[in-house]
Amino acid sequence: MAGIIKASINLNAIDKSKIIEGKKGKYLPITITINDEPDQFGNQGPVCIEQTKEEREAKTAKTYLGNVKVLWTNGTFPDKVPYEGGGQQQPQNNKPQAVAADPDLPF
């Protein structure tokens, strides 16, 4: 395990049209960003509703749902998993990348 991240989201901010009906339930695709430095409230990144390629190209404003905090890390962060549409993932060499751990953590 590379880390533990705590998140809170505002359920009232969810755009119901973004909910995907799946075989096993309803899903909301989200994006979690981890910033290098925490904000003035100690949050280390936002939770947003995932944007389509068209929304990103049109510079549509993101829908922010909440914030995240990194509670623990072993000093590594996994590489991204390649995605080529259709739900098929290609095999890869998933070597973790080293990241700086927070020296102020008590463990």
Side-chain angles (χ1 to χ4, degrees):
M1 174 170 40
I4 299 172
I5 297 173
K6 175 183 172 182
S8 302
I9 63 170
N10 177 355
L11 297 177
N12 294 325
I14 294 174
D15 177 353
K16 308 294 187 267
S17 70
K18 296 286 189 169
I19 296 174
I20 298 169
E21 197 67 47
K23 290 181 183 178
K24 296 184 179 181
K26 295 179 180 181
Y27 300 89
L28 178 68
I30 62 170
T31 301
I32 298 174
T33 304
I34 304 297
N35 298 322
D36 292 330
E37 298 292 328
D39 65 14
Q40 70 262 28
F41 305 107
N43 298 310
Q44 291 172 283
V47 178
C48 301
I49 294 179
E50 184 178 277
Q51 290 186 311
T52 64
K53 180 179 180 182
E54 294 77 21
E55 289 171 329
R56 288 189 305 272
E57 288 174 351
K59 307 279 190 220
T60 303
K62 294 179 182 179
T63 301
Y64 290 91
L65 299 176
N67 297 297
V68 298
K69 291 182 182 184
V70 177
L71 298 180
W72 177 83
T73 177
N74 68 357
T76 64
F77 201 83
D79 289 336
K80 73 175 191 158
V81 176
Y83 178 76
E84 297 194 16
Q88 299 295 323
Q89 294 180 353
Q90 301 297 320
Q92 73 167 24
N93 182 2
N94 194 15
K95 293 181 182 175
Q97 293 178 323
V99 295
D102 186 346
D104 294 332
L105 291 177
F107 43 85

